[in-house]
Amino acid sequence: MEWVRGETIGFGTFSTVSTATKSRNSGDFPALIAVKSTGSYGAASLSNEKSVLDSLRDCPEIIRCYGEDSTVENGEEMHNLFLEYASRGSLARYMKKLGGEGLPESTVRRYTGSVLRGLRHIHAKGFAHCDIKLGNILLFNDGSVKIADFGLAMRVHGDLTALRKSEEIRGTPLYMAPESVNDNEYGSAADVWALGCAVVEMLSGKTAWSVKEGSHFMSLLIRIGVGDELPKIPEMLSEEGKDFLSKCFVKDQAKRWTAEMLLNHSFVAIDLEDDHREDFVVKVKEEDKVLMSPKCPFEFDDWDSFTLDSNPSLDSPVERLGSLVSGSIPDWSVGESWVSVR
Ligand SMILES: Nc1ncnc2c1ncn2[C@@H]1O[C@H](COP(=O)(O)OP(=O)(O)OP(=O)(O)O)[C@@H](O)[C@H]1O
């Protein structure tokens, strides 16, 4: 396909996302698409994303992939992935514009149902997304949402059970499931835990774990992995909503509900007529139509996704967390509450 790069609409750890238009009528692509581009450092992640999206095609709740190519820009080889364009950007960006306010419960129910249908498809095809968060749920003009960013997605071995003995720690700390923190396990159950965190954030406008500004991310991982504390379920939520979240926030992943089970929960099994899609359209102000959706590295809730080699021989959670704090892993940098891996 011949195409022309447009405005930058987002930044990820490995990539820049921009709009793109076809320069000629080629293929069955929409005129306006998103292109996710990376240099050689992110090529493996982009190629993983492409192969996962190819396996997951034809699910309305998952962002479509139209192919890939490579270009040379400013002397650098760029790898490009062509994606369906979500004109409203991510839910994280939308929530930020609401300035700490939550969304109406009816809207959250609908978004949650959509993400669950996407997750059911991902899990049924034998994958785990591994990075469900508001930044990876994209919003369209008609008020629908789709799951994006499959750069960390993995094939799950066995019958939808979590991966064991994975050799890396991956994900976004605020959304990490206890088994991922403690045992390096990533699977469909961890996606459900992360969905619960996303639901709390949509409802309250605040992250599911309250964390003091400037505190070290390791203290959060210890709260998630060790002890009985659970993310705080918003008080004002309906009893159905509270019950739904209690099925997501089960520390024992074997007892946590699956996406398939949650789809039958009354919180999401609602008639679409109960929802107010038009509210969404009214709420979006003119200035929200700006295409840019940059990530701010200095706000706590933008703690980034990461992958990091860890020592798989450490069995106890305390040992494992201790090894992460000890500085034996030199690649971490933590500044202004922002975690990154180089
Ligand atoms: N198809 C799309 N349409 C519109 N905006 C998009 C699209 N894909 C990504 N974006 C925007 O770009 C941002 C970064 O994209 P994405 O999360 O896929 O990149 P990444 O490098 O994998 O990031 P991360 O660091 O979260 O892993 C998103 O949060 C979103 O704002």
Side-chain angles (χ1 to χ4, degrees):
M1 180 180 78
E2 288 183 40
W3 57 281
V4 179
R5 192 182 294 283
E7 290 176 84
T8 302
I9 50 175
F11 297 100
T13 317
F14 300 114
S15 65
T16 302
V17 182
S18 35
T19 56
T21 45
K22 285 189 294 189
S23 60
R24 282 204 203 144
N25 212 7
S26 50
D28 189 18
F29 293 17
L32 184 61
I33 56 172
V35 60
K36 185 167 174 177
S37 303
T38 178
S40 53
Y41 48 90
S45 163
L46 210 66
S47 140
N48 179 57
E49 180 156 13
K50 161 89 170 52
S51 74
V52 175
L53 283 171
D54 284 349
S55 307
L56 297 176
R57 60 177 71 244
D58 299 329
C59 175
E61 287 84 16
I62 292 174
I63 207 88
R64 280 190 65 181
C65 175
Y66 300 113
E68 64 183 334
D69 79 356
S70 54
T71 48
V72 176
E73 296 174 35
N74 302 320
E76 189 187 6
E77 184 177 16
M78 301 297 292
H79 302 268
N80 307 301
L81 192 64
F82 305 125
L83 299 165
E84 186 176 9
Y85 172 55
S87 54
R88 298 270 176 226
S90 71
L91 268 186
R93 173 192 167 219
Y94 180 63
M95 297 292 300
K96 233 172 231 176
K97 285 182 191 296
L98 296 182
E101 254 182 65
L103 297 172
E105 187 172 320
S106 57
T107 307
V108 176
R109 285 174 180 237
R110 182 166 58 78
Y111 290 172
T112 306
S114 297
V115 175
L116 276 173
R117 282 191 294 280
L119 281 181
R120 175 176 57 187
H121 185 74
I122 294 166
H123 298 162
K125 291 280 180 185
F127 290 93
H129 183 278
C130 299
D131 202 14
I132 291 293
K133 59 180 179 180
L134 295 190
N136 291 335
I137 301 171
L138 300 184
L139 201 45
F140 287 72
N141 240 348
D142 64 356
S144 61
V145 294
K146 302 192 184 202
I147 302 174
D149 191 2
F150 288 77
L152 292 182
M154 297 193 296
R155 193 168 269 291
V156 176
H157 303 298
D159 182 22
L160 300 186
T161 52
L163 279 182
R164 287 179 184 274
K165 300 291 174 199
S166 162
E167 288 186 5
E168 58 185 19
I169 179 167
R170 51 169 59 202
T172 302
L174 281 163
Y175 291 80
M176 274 177 92
E179 68 273 15
S180 308
V181 170
N182 292 335
D183 303 315
N184 242 356
E185 293 185 7
Y186 302 87
S188 50
D191 285 345
V192 168
W193 178 281
L195 170 72
C197 296
V199 171
V200 171
E201 208 170 320
M202 283 191 262
L203 287 162
S204 65
K206 301 189 178 51
T207 54
W209 292 97
S210 59
V211 189
K212 287 202 190 87
E213 221 181 303
S215 66
H216 196 284
F217 72 97
M218 281 309 306
S219 61
L220 171 66
L221 293 190
I222 289 165
R223 284 166 70 197
I224 297 171
V226 184
D228 295 330
E229 189 183 350
L230 293 169
K232 202 165 180 332
I233 294 179
E235 294 282 330
M236 77 309 180
L237 182 58
S238 66
E239 287 310 312
E240 279 172 323
K242 287 179 180 161
D243 189 70
F244 178 91
L245 285 173
S246 74
K247 311 299 186 209
C248 300
F249 295 141
V250 179
K251 287 224 167 183
D252 179 353
Q253 56 171 315
K255 296 192 179 132
R256 203 173 299 149
W257 280 29
T258 63
E260 178 77 57
M261 290 160 79
L262 288 168
L263 273 166
N264 291 317
H265 193 283
S266 53
F267 182 63
V268 291
I270 49 160
D271 187 341
L272 266 188
E273 283 178 18
D274 289 353
D275 185 37
H276 307 286
R277 281 184 181 225
E278 58 290 1
D279 286 358
F280 171 84
V281 178
V282 172
K283 270 191 154 183
V284 176
K285 295 186 242 108
E286 267 316 296
E287 69 259 30
D288 293 351
K289 293 183 180 168
V290 178
L291 286 171
M292 291 291 290
S293 57
K295 287 174 102 164
C296 168
F298 303 111
E299 290 181 25
F300 188 87
D301 56 358
D302 278 325
W303 266 5
D304 224 335
S305 312
F306 59 87
T307 63
L308 176 69
D309 288 340
S310 66
N311 185 344
S313 66
L314 297 174
D315 288 333
S316 100
V318 173
E319 255 188 299
R320 187 174 130 73
L321 291 170
S323 84
L324 294 175
V325 190
S326 72
S328 59
I329 297 155
D331 283 351
W332 284 102
S333 71
V334 182
E336 298 284 340
S337 310
W338 184 47
V339 179
S340 68
V341 171
R342 294 192 196 97

